[in-house]
Amino acid sequence: MIKLDNVSLVFQGGSVALSNVSTKIKEGEFVYLIGHSGSGKSSLLKLLYKEYVATKGDIDVVGMDVTTLPKWKVPILRRKLGIVTQEPQLLEDRTTFENISFALEVLGYEESEIEQKTSTLIELVELEESMYKFPSQLSGGEQTRACIARALASNPLLLLCDEPTGNLDPTLSTQIVTLLEKINRAGTTIVMATHDSSIVNRRKKRVLQLHQGKLMSDVPQGRYI
Amino acid sequence: MRRNPLLAIATILAVLVSSFLVFTTLSARAIVENNTSRWQNGVHVVIFLDDRVTSTAHKQLQETLESYSEVRMVEYFSKSEAAEEFKELFSGQQELLDEVDFETLPTSLRVNLNNPSDYQLIIERMEGNAAVREIRASGEAIERLLSLTNTLVFSATTFAVLIGFAAFILIINTLRLTAFARRKEIKIMKTIGASSTYIRLPFIFEAVFESLIGTSIAIGLGWSVIQYSKNSVIAQSIFDISISDSYLINLTLFLILSTLLFGFFASFVGIRKVLND
Ligand SMILES: Nc1ncnc2c1ncn2[C@@H]1O[C@H](COP(=O)(O)OP(=O)(O)O)[C@@H](O)[C@H]1O
Ligand SMILES: [Mg+2]
């Protein structure tokens, strides 16, 4: 599903975000990507959907060679992925329902399918009560769930979540993680970046740890030390 | 467009003026060319003959003229033919016709040249010839008219290009403002996996739409101006406002096509930056 081979990312100013990262993630896995702030978690995720371009190394995602992928083909890659960015990116002038159906419109779904599919996604993330609310009327957890629902619009093979529990209290964080595990059980591979140790320690999933851009450890049912 | 009504109006106006200039100057040039082309095929130099010399001398002069390589044709125009022409020209004015003694109308040789601008050569060669009373060449006036038209076309085209450029900048700015206001939406679309074309579409539509409105009004105005001048005083006296409908239709199609390309190009430039961010 994901293959990184000796990947480095150096920004223009010379700051090194990632250095020589190599790893493999198989289909159906649930992987936590952990590390302190600034350790390179977001950068790694962004490399996977070609928001950033690796300085060195080979990247393979959902069977596509990201390294040599021409720019006009990037949308094809992204349609196979679900992306939840670090800051919830919801359109303020649209309701939860509209924010999710917007994604389906962009993806070219038929008018008739959109309503049905949006409802299904809203049900999945349990936002029925808030579907006609605007983002400013949603709690942090609800916003994240709306983003997850939107990311699932394309039936992605792989869901990338960047600190989805970033500013949520433990109960809400657990809700999000439970939701993601449910999605994972349905077959979607998940990579979730976080620096929330309590969650990682409780869920006992595979843990990749980044430290100053280097992959420090890769533990099958890991803990966040 | 909803966000920047003033900018949209400015854009439409700039496109309008630019297209109108292109339309009218190209039409005007076509009209001048139509008129001068009739002249090109007509008489370039008229040599009025002195009646005091013999008609043999007149014949000789005609033969001399015909021997010049610059000359295509020489036509002998007798007194009676001149009288006929005079009567025809001033047919409405009986008083004038009554006044004229047709005997005083001179015989003339009407010269048609291969290249009308060689008229000066003929004048020089005829100088001092006893059979010649007077020489008239319309060349000078026509040449001045042509050069005036060229200057006009040149300056109007320059203005059209400048104003077109202003329109271009206006469109780019409108689109940049719109794109900036919608940057979050665009960012989300890109993350979801929308193609560049999909994201561009509304912008292309806006640019093409505004330009087309401007050009359409300009073309409408242009047609009216030509229709109006066909019936004007100038048209009935000096100039023949003859321009074929097919020329106007081609010009219209050309302008619309250019406008489409213009809109496409402007929208590409206008949102290039936002798309690449
Ligand atoms: N666009 C960028 N330009 C320059 N430096 C960046 C950029 N994005 C991230 N960095 C740097 O790369 C390093 C890793 O950042 P990031 O991937 O955001 O870490 P994390 O998500 O783990 O907090 C940091 O030092 C950060 O300053
Ligand atoms: Mg981050």
Side-chain angles (χ1 to χ4, degrees), chain A residues 9-18 33-46 52 86 162-163 193-195 210 212-213:
Chain A
L9 176 63
V10 183
F11 286 105
Q12 234 134 44
S15 80
V16 180
L18 294 167
L33 186 62
I34 62 169
H36 299 297
S37 182
S39 59
K41 305 183 293 295
S42 296
S43 299
L44 183 77
L45 293 180
K46 285 176 179 173
Y52 290 164
Q86 193 161 357
D162 199 350
E163 311 217 21
T194 184
H195 60 248
L210 283 172
Q212 291 178 356

Side-chain angles (χ1 to χ4, degrees), chain A residues 51 71 78-79 89-90, chain B residues 184 187-188 190 193 276:
Chain A
E51 176 75 16
K71 210 165 142 192
R78 293 190 184 172
R79 279 161 185 249
Q89 295 270 12
L90 294 168
Chain B
K184 192 169 176 184
K187 180 92 192 154
I188 292 171
K190 284 171 68 180
N276 289 340

Side-chain angles (χ1 to χ4, degrees), chain B residues 38-102:
Chain B
R38 281 191 311 158
W39 168 75
Q40 304 259 335
N41 297 320
V43 175
H44 304 127
V45 183
V46 179
I47 300 169
F48 293 104
L49 300 171
D50 199 323
D51 292 332
R52 287 167 299 185
V53 299
T54 60
S55 57
T56 336
H58 291 176
K59 264 261 117 20
Q60 249 170 11
L61 182 58
Q62 181 170 4
E63 275 161 21
T64 318
L65 281 166
E66 278 167 346
S67 71
Y68 294 152
S69 60
E70 294 88 357
V71 173
R72 188 190 295 153
M73 215 177 78
V74 182
E75 197 189 348
Y76 184 80
F77 218 66
S78 68
K79 262 187 203 305
S80 56
E81 280 169 314
E84 280 308 305
E85 192 188 44
F86 192 91
K87 282 178 191 158
E88 204 175 300
L89 277 172
F90 298 96
S91 59
Q93 291 146 283
Q94 197 53 50
E95 279 171 47
L96 185 71
L97 291 175
D98 292 342
E99 288 288 311
V100 176
D101 175 6
F102 290 110

